Amino acid sequence: MGLVQEIDYGTPASRAEKQVTLTIDGFEVTVPEGTSVMRASMEAGIQVPKLCATDMVDAFGSCRLCLVEIEGRAGTPASCTTPVAPGMVVHTQTGRLKDIRKGVMELYISDHPLDCLTCAANGDCELQDMAGAVGLRDVRYGYEGDNHVRAKNDGVENFKWMPKDESNPYFTYDPSKCIVCSRCVRACEEVQGTFALTIEGRGFDSRVSPGAHELFLDSECVSCGACVQACPTATLTEKSVIQIGQPEHSVVTTCAYCGVGCSFKAEMRGEELVRMVPWKDGKANRGHSCVKGRFAYGYATHRDRILKPMIREKITDPWREVSWEEALTHTANEFRRIQYQYGRGAVGGITSSRCTNEETYLVQKLVRQGFGNNNVDTCARVCHSPTGYGLGQTFGTSAGTQDFDSVEYSDVIVVIGANPASAHPVFASRMKKRIRQGAKLIVIDPRRTEMVKSAHIDAAYHLALKPGTNVAIMTALAHVIVTEGLYDEAFIRERCDWSEFEDWASFVAEPQHSPEEVEKLSGVPAETIRGAARLYARGGNGAIYYGLGVTEHSQGSTTVMAIANLAMATGNIGRQGVGVNPLRGQNNVQGSCDMGSFPHELPGYRHISGDAVREIYESLWGVKLDDEPGLRIPNMLDAAVDGSFKGLYVQGEDILQSDPDTKHVAAGLAAMECVVVQDLFLNETANYAHVFLPGSTFLEKDGTFTNAERRINRVRRVMTPKNGYADWEVTQLLAQAMGLDWNYAHPSEIMDEIAKTTPSFASVSYDYLDKMGSVQWPCNEKAPEGTPIMHIGGFVRGKGKFIRTEYVATDEKTGPRFPLLLTTGRILSQYNVGAQTRRTENVAWHAEDLLEIHPHDAEQRGIRDGDWVRLKSRSGETTLRALITDRVAAGVVYTTFHHPDTQANVVTTDFSDWATNCPEYKVTAVQVSPSNGPTDWQTEYNEQARNSRRISLEAAE
């Protein structure tokens, strides 16, 4: 099998169209203008020795190993910093060059530990490789005198030596092995954009320093791993490599965290994962990573993981371990009994946005073919269902319009209700790089996120709106664009319905939508609104990226349509650098929607009421499908409380922690007679489960994920499932237990069925994905290589549709009892409900949820930083620690939802989006007061959870 090898060309590729031909060591080479001599040499198969150069960062020219001779030029220029020229004749190997390189290597080695045989980088060390490449056999300078290698010189303390920094949970920093090539510093600046590293000192005293001579863990380092990946020695090394050794084979797969969908090489020793290394050919991440995808995979082998099926009669009973056959037979019998007793619609299923497309497809197929109803939903209900509705209405398709590469061509970037730096960090790094290159940034968010101001990033406008006023702000921006004549009339007349535009334009031009009037509602100064609107309309290519701060509102769908209106009005659709782009939260939330996980849609967003669409599946599955939409998740819970919904199959979702109004979710689950949870751990929903089916991790299965840019990426199995089965196999076994004739031998056969029945996936197959690397749907006869950019030349629906977006204030009001507004979000080190990341070393950065509160509000309530506070709403109350900060405005508080001990969603209400039932997580009226400890509800909840997780010792033996 072996390791997947990647060529390091030394410097980044040139985008120039003009070609240049030169001669290198007697070979003619043609490359784009602006290419370095080093890269041109490598493309010709001629490797020039290097240490400070790597193609992930710009040329630096400090190591002096890559020197070459160029005919007609004096001296020996560095090949990494020398651009090619027509007719240039280059020599990479001459006697003079050999002597220079050998002398340079002698200097490096004279101040480097000679512990190669016991070094963790042995076999993967560029310094070692280059010593061999230049023919180093001796070091004339010796190893005595000043050095950074030994703690003491002749018994005297050596102040140039520094101890190894092991503070970071995932990698070590050994200054004694540093050659000061600056690759780590440049990777932190150019690739990640954090600027956490620097070179302190000068000359021989130079060394890499995190921050102002801090430990890595205490510095601004975000542990993305770019520095570790760039390091050519063992200076920065993964602790897993130190513990396990060098990997012996690797498999390219896709990260199972956020919706960016980064490609990684899973580097293995046998079936033990040594490390995850970002794959440079991954089109979503281009060789970069974040702390979660790079390092936080330890949950796959965590001791909390459940590996055997379990059942129990009542949720107050301890769990009893059983065989797979008994668990699946019991489940099938219970679902049959419930349907016989309560009716066909008394059971349903919830698909997982963490599982593959193939697994999601099978769950919705089980519900429709096996249960005989459409009671299937997914976590997109509580995150991006308004995206599906809003973009479907305006553009005709329920997904983002661009690929991630598009941001590199944007002139104005608008980020609305999203914090990419925390939730989509790899894409945020690409966005920030473009901003450092000169693009302007507009942030619309109640909170001053990391995107508003960070290293070399400063938003041109920050619209710190009052939570719940998104629609008013978007309409005010449109008001400026229309009344000042900033719209693109030619685009609108060609691509959109002109009469609908006129109606919309007259609506947004009304006086009540002016920035001056909206300022009264939103708290955003009118001039800030006007400035942002003018910049977006006039600034060149304008791209909008939005997140859950848009969708998780009672007017989430309306805001999505308002965003689409703005893009169409300014002509910012259908080319590179523009577009409307939802930043999806989970790794396959786009795919779960694509696969028909909504109760009203079959795969490919085709309504269940369509006779022709149903006929496709009826003929293939051999059953008559219900033509009526089924129950959404909130409807399932309501029906359970009412007594008409009794059975639920939940694959890879934790609705008790992630859905709003926790008490209502618990009541609904408690009222059911058979709740089946399929997951890695006994999650919060499993507290109310009767059957637990162990799940498998992304490392243990084959399949595909579809990321936020509609990119279908392969997931490849790298180890045997520890529970015995991949998730798709478990669903198939359950279907067989219910009498269905399913006989898939491999997930590729499931994808073949998806392609056969879903037009947007018609050309997708595993063989094609292996050939192409990845594709973006639609991928069919019309677009055989996929569709990186949507709506080129026209919209999917025909003409773009302008829709009036009337602002309707939420029913969730502040008042004397609840004077503050709570909004929620994510943090970099944690993911969703934290079931995975809380079982990794990422807890070093975020061990608990905190409540951000403005100094003014804290002072009024006698709250100090770090105090326990009670957070109370009309729905419930919880306690957590306070973090006093001016990142939130006075009157607004903010928290995350990663820890079940807090259960922030006990506070959120059951208000939801008018079109999709997406919960209004982002606006909850609350009061905050000092507290001495957990609430009664938290105590009761934790006790119930503890009792629910008991496993019978007799059964376990």
Side-chain angles (χ1 to χ4, degrees):
M1 186 178 289
L3 291 167
V4 176
Q5 299 294 340
E6 295 181 272
I7 297 173
D8 186 345
Y9 291 94
T11 61
S14 169
R15 287 183 176 173
E17 294 182 6
K18 183 179 178 182
Q19 299 291 302
V20 172
T21 299
L22 69 159
T23 302
I24 303 176
D25 290 347
F27 294 94
E28 270 200 0
V29 184
T30 300
V31 293
E33 186 178 50
T35 301
S36 70
V37 169
M38 174 182 282
R39 187 180 183 97
S41 300
M42 198 64 198
E43 291 188 6
I46 299 167
Q47 184 173 5
V48 179
K50 60 182 173 59
L51 279 174
C52 73
T54 178
D55 56 15
M56 290 294 290
V57 294
D58 292 337
F60 196 55
S62 72
C63 76
R64 314 316 291 171
L65 268 189
C66 74
L67 307 181
V68 294
E69 291 185 359
I70 301 173
E71 291 186 9
R73 294 194 190 182
T76 53
S79 62
C80 64
T81 57
T82 304
V84 297
M88 177 184 279
V89 178
V90 178
H91 301 284
T92 70
Q93 297 290 341
T94 67
R96 180 188 183 194
L97 292 172
K98 290 177 183 178
D99 290 342
I100 294 173
R101 289 172 184 157
K102 195 175 290 186
V104 169
M105 280 303 304
E106 287 182 87
L107 289 169
Y108 277 122
I109 299 301
S110 70
D111 188 29
H112 196 83
L114 300 179
D115 60 349
C116 292
L117 292 179
T118 57
C119 178
N122 187 15
D124 185 32
C125 175
E126 291 181 45
L127 185 66
Q128 195 177 60
D129 294 342
M130 290 304 104
V134 303
L136 185 67
R137 298 294 177 263
D138 190 21
V139 177
R140 291 169 295 169
Y141 306 107
Y143 304 99
E144 304 306 318
D146 268 2
N147 65 81
H148 301 88
V149 176
R150 292 178 290 278
K152 290 186 176 181
N153 288 328
D154 298 324
V156 179
E157 202 77 27
N158 178 11
F159 293 104
K160 288 186 170 63
W161 176 85
M162 281 176 57
K164 184 187 290 189
D165 177 358
E166 301 191 72
S167 62
N168 188 286
Y170 294 121
F171 60 84
T172 64
Y173 167 49
D174 186 350
S176 71
K177 297 185 176 180
C178 181
I179 61 172
V180 200
C181 64
S182 295
R183 273 165 59 163
C184 59
V185 176
R186 290 179 287 140
C188 189
E189 294 176 359
E190 298 174 31
V191 180
Q192 169 57 29
T194 298
F195 292 80
L197 304 181
T198 189
I199 300 293
E200 66 177 16
R202 292 292 180 268
F204 194 70
D205 293 327
S206 300
R207 69 175 82 245
V208 172
S209 172
H213 204 79
E214 300 168 278
L215 294 175
F216 261 91
L217 188 62
D218 298 334
S219 73
E220 293 179 335
C221 168
V222 294
S223 298
C224 67
C227 60
V228 181
Q229 187 178 358
C231 182
T233 69
T235 307
L236 292 160
T237 305
E238 297 96 335
K239 289 183 176 179
S240 58
V241 172
I242 296 172
Q243 293 161 2
I244 301 169
Q246 289 294 328
E248 44 82 23
H249 76 270
S250 56
V251 179
V252 175
T253 190
T254 304
C255 178
Y257 277 116
C258 78
V260 174
C262 296
S263 295
F264 280 88
K265 295 182 294 182
E267 298 195 339
M268 313 289 295
R269 285 197 70 81
E271 290 212 351
E272 185 174 19
L273 179 58
V274 177
R275 63 184 175 190
M276 297 289 282
V277 179
W279 191 40
K280 290 196 295 187
D281 286 343
K283 295 175 184 175
N285 58 317
R286 302 292 183 187
H288 190 35
S289 59
C290 79
V291 63
K292 296 188 287 288
R294 182 72 156 89
F295 297 116
Y297 49 80
Y299 67 87
T301 54
H302 195 275
R303 64 180 181 275
D304 287 352
R305 191 169 166 193
I306 304 297
L307 301 177
K308 294 181 180 180
M310 301 187 297
I311 62 176
R312 58 184 175 185
E313 297 302 315
K314 303 189 298 292
I315 62 173
T316 53
D317 294 339
W319 287 104
R320 178 168 58 90
E321 291 182 353
V322 296
S323 67
W324 276 104
E325 183 181 4
E326 182 178 349
L328 294 164
T329 301
H330 173 80
T331 300
N333 290 340
E334 279 294 280
F335 283 155
R336 286 197 202 95
R337 175 190 67 78
I338 288 170
Q339 289 191 299
Y340 178 80
Q341 185 174 347
Y342 298 102
R344 188 177 64 183
V347 297
I350 298 175
T351 72
S352 175
S353 292
R354 291 186 287 132
C355 288
T356 64
N357 286 316
E358 295 77 6
E359 290 161 344
T360 302
Y361 177 85
L362 288 191
V363 172
Q364 65 85 31
K365 179 178 179 178
L366 174 66
V367 171
R368 292 187 162 110
Q369 183 188 19
F371 295 175
N373 62 47
N374 292 308
N375 294 339
V376 62
D377 210 350
T378 189
C379 87
R381 173 67 52 213
V382 299
C383 60
H384 270 285
S385 51
T387 287
Y389 182 85
L391 295 186
Q393 292 292 307
T394 51
F395 296 164
T397 188
S398 303
T401 63
Q402 313 296 115
D403 62 4
F404 288 146
D405 288 348
S406 174
V407 76
E408 297 175 10
Y409 301 89
S410 298
D411 300 307
V412 179
I413 298 170
V414 186
V415 178
I416 311 175
N419 184 12
S422 286
H424 304 85
V426 172
F427 177 65
S429 292
R430 299 182 71 179
M431 182 185 287
K432 290 191 285 186
K433 185 172 185 177
R434 178 60 188 150
I435 294 166
R436 292 196 303 273
Q437 292 170 344
K440 301 298 182 183
L441 174 65
I442 299 168
V443 176
I444 304 176
D445 199 289
R447 185 167 167 260
R448 193 180 73 245
T449 67
E450 295 93 324
M451 295 303 300
V452 175
K453 189 172 180 61
S454 59
H456 299 276
I457 302 295
D458 197 354
Y461 295 97
H462 176 207
L463 282 62
L465 74 172
K466 178 182 176 182
T469 59
N470 287 347
V471 172
I473 284 289
M474 300 311 296
T475 307
L477 293 170
H479 175 95
V480 176
I481 290 168
V482 168
T483 58
E484 296 187 8
L486 304 179
Y487 54 87
D488 187 337
E489 182 175 342
F491 177 92
I492 297 165
R493 286 188 179 275
E494 179 187 352
R495 307 269 190 97
C496 306
D497 187 302
W498 180 254
S499 62
E500 288 177 345
F501 167 75
E502 288 182 311
D503 176 72
W504 172 79
S506 65
F507 163 74
V508 299
E510 293 171 0
Q512 69 267 28
H513 299 136
S514 70
E516 288 70 25
E517 290 300 311
V518 169
E519 178 179 350
K520 301 172 186 176
L521 298 170
S522 66
V524 180
E527 279 310 303
T528 301
I529 298 173
R530 289 189 180 277
R534 291 165 184 156
L535 177 59
Y536 175 66
R538 293 174 177 166
N541 287 339
I544 297 176
Y545 296 89
Y546 70 88
L548 303 184
V550 163
T551 56
E552 291 178 345
H553 287 271
S554 59
Q555 281 199 287
S557 293
T558 310
T559 308
V560 173
M561 291 187 288
I563 289 170
N565 289 339
L566 275 186
M568 289 187 292
T570 54
N572 279 310
I573 288 288
R575 65 181 187 277
Q576 281 187 322
V578 299
V580 174
N581 307 282
L583 294 173
R584 301 279 188 165
Q586 296 197 55
N587 55 297
N588 201 38
V589 67
Q590 179 69 58
S592 69
C593 299
D594 299 342
M595 292 299 103
S597 293
F598 288 134
H600 67 289
E601 287 177 336
L602 286 160
Y605 304 97
R606 293 165 294 170
H607 203 278
I608 192 70
S609 63
D611 294 340
V613 178
R614 283 201 320 280
E615 171 60 30
I616 295 171
Y617 295 95
E618 288 174 345
S619 61
L620 183 64
W621 296 347
V623 295
K624 187 74 174 174
L625 296 182
D626 190 345
D627 63 355
E628 287 293 323
L631 299 176
R632 299 169 174 176
I633 293 173
N635 307 137
M636 295 181 196
L637 296 169
D638 291 342
V641 172
D642 293 342
S644 60
F645 190 86
K646 293 293 183 178
L648 183 63
Y649 172 38
V650 187
Q651 184 186 73
E653 289 297 334
D654 192 359
I655 61 172
L656 185 60
Q657 188 177 343
S658 64
D659 284 32
D661 196 354
T662 303
K663 291 180 180 178
H664 179 61
V665 177
L669 292 169
M672 297 182 198
E673 295 180 6
C674 184
V675 175
V676 180
V677 168
Q678 182 176 336
D679 214 308
L680 302 174
F681 309 102
L682 281 172
N683 59 20
E684 305 308 302
T685 303
N687 295 346
Y688 292 89
H690 305 85
V691 179
F692 186 88
L693 303 176
S696 56
T697 71
F698 77 109
L699 298 168
E700 301 163 346
K701 63 179 73 170
D702 284 297
T704 57
F705 293 151
T706 305
N707 73 352
E709 49 169 0
R710 298 169 284 105
R711 185 178 301 284
I712 306 163
N713 256 322
R714 279 282 278 117
V715 179
R716 294 179 178 88
R717 176 173 142 171
V718 302
M719 60 178 66
T720 304
K722 296 187 180 300
N723 63 333
Y725 295 105
D727 288 312
W728 69 270
E729 293 177 292
V730 174
T731 303
Q732 174 162 274
L733 289 169
L734 177 57
Q736 291 170 346
M738 295 193 69
L740 300 179
D741 186 23
W742 289 13
N743 292 291
Y744 302 105
H746 189 266
S748 60
E749 297 176 5
I750 306 171
M751 178 53 74
D752 291 341
E753 183 174 317
I754 294 167
K756 181 179 178 180
T757 56
T758 310
S760 56
F761 277 65
S763 295
V764 179
S765 69
Y766 280 26
D767 287 343
Y768 194 59
L769 291 173
D770 289 342
K771 173 187 173 184
M772 300 294 291
S774 63
V775 295
Q776 291 172 264
W777 67 256
C779 181
N780 46 35
E781 285 187 8
K782 293 182 180 178
E785 296 187 3
T787 312
I789 297 176
M790 297 283 284
H791 316 300
I792 297 175
F795 290 93
V796 170
R797 71 182 307 278
K799 293 285 189 179
K801 185 177 182 64
F802 283 91
I803 299 174
R804 288 185 174 219
T805 53
E806 188 73 57
Y807 168 65
V808 179
T810 174
D811 291 333
E812 179 70 354
K813 311 288 187 187
T814 56
R817 288 181 60 213
F818 304 106
L820 305 175
L821 283 176
L822 168 70
T823 189
T824 60
R826 299 183 179 187
I827 200 163
L828 172 64
S829 63
Q830 295 295 318
Y831 170 70
N832 204 25
V833 296
Q836 293 154 263
T837 43
R838 281 186 285 106
R839 291 177 171 91
T840 70
E841 297 296 334
N842 281 25
V843 292
W845 293 281
H846 188 77
E848 60 183 324
D849 292 321
L850 301 171
L851 184 74
E852 292 186 5
I853 184 169
H854 190 272
H856 173 74
D857 294 325
E859 184 178 7
Q860 280 190 326
R861 291 161 175 78
I863 295 169
R864 294 169 298 180
D865 199 51
D867 281 357
W868 284 100
V869 295
R870 186 179 302 266
L871 179 66
K872 185 174 182 179
S873 73
R874 296 179 180 92
S875 295
E877 60 184 64
T878 188
T879 59
L880 66 172
R881 294 185 190 274
L883 174 64
I884 298 176
T885 175
D886 62 358
R887 291 181 65 176
V888 291
V892 176
V893 291
Y894 168 90
T895 190
T896 52
F897 54 91
H898 303 302
H899 292 266
D901 291 342
T902 306
Q903 277 288 13
N905 281 324
V906 73
V907 175
T908 53
T909 69
D910 59 1
F911 291 122
S912 64
D913 175 51
W914 62 271
T916 66
N917 276 135
C918 183
E920 190 169 46
Y921 292 107
K922 303 304 183 187
V923 185
T924 305
V926 296
Q927 178 59 285
V928 178
S929 58
S931 172
N932 292 323
T935 64
D936 292 341
W937 179 84
Q938 281 175 294
T939 302
E940 294 166 6
Y941 178 89
N942 289 331
E943 180 64 19
Q944 190 272 340
R946 187 183 63 81
N947 287 329
S948 178
R949 293 187 176 119
R950 290 172 298 150
I951 299 175
S952 171
L953 292 178
E954 292 180 12
E957 291 177 354

